[in-house]
Amino acid sequence: MPIQAFVFDLDGVITDTAEYHYRAWKRLADENGIPFTRADNEALRGVSRRESLLRLLNGRNITEAQAQAWMARKNGYYQQHLQYLRPADALPGVTAFLAAARSRGLKLAIASASRNARFVLNRLELTQRFDVIGDGRSVSEPKPSPDLFIWVADQLRIAPESAVVFEDAKAGVDAAKQAGCLTIGIGDAEVGHADIHLPDGLREARVESILNRLAAVRSTRG
Ligand code: B16
Ligand code: MG
């Protein structure tokens, strides 16, 4: 089955908004006397807003009304930071890689857990680069459920097996594999189980080289 599309996670692959998420969760945690460190924030990478709150609470109980209020407050803090996001905040190599993939005839899509994905892409001036944008509103079950990747493939009118997913989070690689996609692990988080691991992200990535390596992966799988 030919590879027809590249599907990109947003935070950690296209841009690094993890720092903004950290500052927003940190402010909420400080206001409520909950210990929360940068290291704790790593466990929130790629997981939904609600799951992030649960991990931050670390077993503390709050009511559903409080949870809704805290998530809204954190999102307000996060959106304050997003106002400063600029096109130069795309990670190194991203725009060149997108252009090279497009000229190779590949479809391009986003599959992000974030409900702010479209706003982030607009700030980066990258929205028009993508045929489909899947975000935190597209499906109800977040990663590691495969639903978002299946939804994106469906919107692209391709089989998930024809899609290559670029992900920086374990939950995302797990979800993409479960959907049947080929996977590229980005960065040093726990993504070594992806079909290909790119510790330096898209900085030095070449489309042809990735397609060749994936063909080799497929042939060894049989
Ligand atoms: P929001 P991704 C994820 O983005 C972030 O990595 C994760 O930290 C965040 O909790 C999640 O989006 C939801 O974001 O609160 O903006 O809806 O990596 O899936 O692009
Ligand atoms: Mg991510």
Side-chain angles (χ1 to χ4, degrees):
M1 190 176 289
I3 288 169
Q4 292 178 276
F6 280 0
V7 178
F8 299 87
D9 175 58
L10 183 60
D11 173 28
V13 174
I14 299 290
T15 188
D16 199 359
T17 36
E19 176 65 20
Y20 297 156
H21 281 294
Y22 167 68
R23 290 185 201 169
W25 284 124
K26 177 69 177 158
R27 186 167 165 191
L28 183 83
D30 286 352
E31 286 168 355
N32 292 284
I34 298 171
F36 184 67
T37 65
R38 264 175 212 284
D40 296 332
N41 191 58
E42 283 303 301
L44 276 44
R45 192 179 277 272
V47 301
S48 69
R49 196 180 303 171
R50 179 175 286 274
E51 180 62 26
S52 297
L53 176 62
L54 290 176
R55 292 184 188 190
L56 179 137
L57 288 171
N58 196 19
R60 289 171 183 81
N61 279 321
I62 58 172
T63 64
E64 176 58 23
Q66 256 179 321
Q68 293 290 348
W70 285 20
M71 287 190 287
R73 182 139 41 108
K74 179 270 174 179
N75 195 50
Y77 298 153
Y78 178 59
Q79 288 179 338
Q80 286 173 19
H81 292 295
L82 292 183
Q83 304 296 334
Y84 299 100
L85 206 62
R86 295 172 304 118
D89 292 316
L91 284 165
V94 162
T95 53
F97 188 79
L98 292 175
R102 176 65 80 194
S103 47
R104 182 71 171 57
L106 293 161
K107 296 181 179 190
L108 302 178
I110 289 287
S112 168
S114 175
R115 298 170 81 87
N116 294 290
R118 278 183 180 274
F119 184 79
V120 169
L121 288 167
N122 283 340
R123 295 292 313 167
L124 297 173
E125 296 179 10
L126 291 177
T127 308
Q128 305 307 325
R129 303 272 194 136
F130 298 99
D131 301 297
V132 167
I133 296 171
D135 64 14
R137 300 168 199 272
S138 302
V139 295
S140 51
E141 285 298 312
K143 307 168 189 177
S145 154
D147 291 9
L148 183 60
F149 294 107
I150 292 169
W151 184 90
V152 165
D154 195 51
Q155 295 288 310
L156 289 170
R157 299 181 194 287
I158 64 167
E161 291 77 10
S162 299
V164 180
V165 169
F166 295 75
E167 258 290 352
D168 73 313
K170 181 179 183 302
V173 172
D174 292 346
K177 284 191 163 220
Q178 182 79 15
C181 306
L182 290 158
T183 51
I184 312 285
I186 297 286
D188 56 5
E190 303 156 11
V191 289
H193 58 312
D195 294 310
I196 295 177
H197 185 204
L198 299 178
D200 294 328
L202 296 176
R203 188 193 308 262
E204 303 291 341
R206 295 290 171 267
V207 173
E208 278 313 315
S209 148
I210 285 176
L211 293 174
N212 290 337
R213 287 176 68 184
L214 288 171
V217 166
R218 272 184 167 167
S219 69
T220 54
R221 265 194 211 153

